[in-house]
Amino acid sequence: MISARHLRRLAVVLLVVAGAIALWQRRSRSTFGDGHSPTWPPFEPTAEPSPAASSPAASPAAAHPWVDSQMKWVAPVDGGCPEGYPVKANDNSGIFHVPGGRFYQRTVPERCYATADDALADGYRQAKA
């Protein structure tokens, strides 16, 4: 039978081991292989617009000034695709959905494309009807 004294000693040993493991994991995550922490240069945003964004385009990107005309896709806004980008794409499944499709209404997009051809060019496949 185990006495209370042995249980206390076991508890102390377990606490010491758990603390040592936690310290070791924390130290190994916070440094690179050479033992130094990463340093990053300060972020300096540029005030100059890109030449592609300043030129007018006939694509849906022209209606949205925050969208670069060279981009084939935009991020969803409030869980849905913005006007001009109706094609919903899901990164996990690699499938895109077009308006009128079977699961279009309940699909939560991760990317929104202007055309199905743009989604195909990025490696997505169209959902089955």
Side-chain angles (χ1 to χ4, degrees):
M1 188 157 193
I2 298 176
S3 67
R5 187 175 101 202
H6 287 102
L7 284 176
R8 280 192 301 264
R9 284 184 181 179
L10 180 62
V12 169
V13 169
L14 288 176
L15 285 173
V16 169
V17 170
I21 290 173
L23 183 64
W24 174 74
Q25 286 181 343
R26 186 177 193 186
R27 182 178 172 104
S28 66
R29 277 187 291 193
S30 65
T31 59
F32 285 118
D34 61 359
H36 293 91
S37 296
T39 57
W40 300 98
F43 177 72
E44 297 176 12
T46 58
E48 300 175 21
S50 66
S54 61
S55 64
S59 69
H64 305 287
W66 66 86
V67 177
D68 187 355
S69 62
Q70 297 296 319
M71 290 180 60
K72 293 180 181 182
W73 64 275
V74 295
V77 177
D78 296 327
C81 290
E83 186 178 327
Y85 290 85
V87 179
K88 297 178 178 181
N90 187 302
D91 289 338
N92 293 335
S93 64
I95 296 174
F96 69 89
H97 302 268
V98 295
R102 183 175 175 192
F103 298 109
Y104 183 81
Q105 290 299 324
R106 66 179 185 179
T107 299
V108 177
E110 293 176 358
R111 289 186 177 190
C112 300
Y113 288 91
T115 65
D117 291 335
D118 290 340
L120 284 169
D122 272 354
Y124 291 93
R125 68 176 178 84
Q126 187 167 359
K128 295 178 182 175

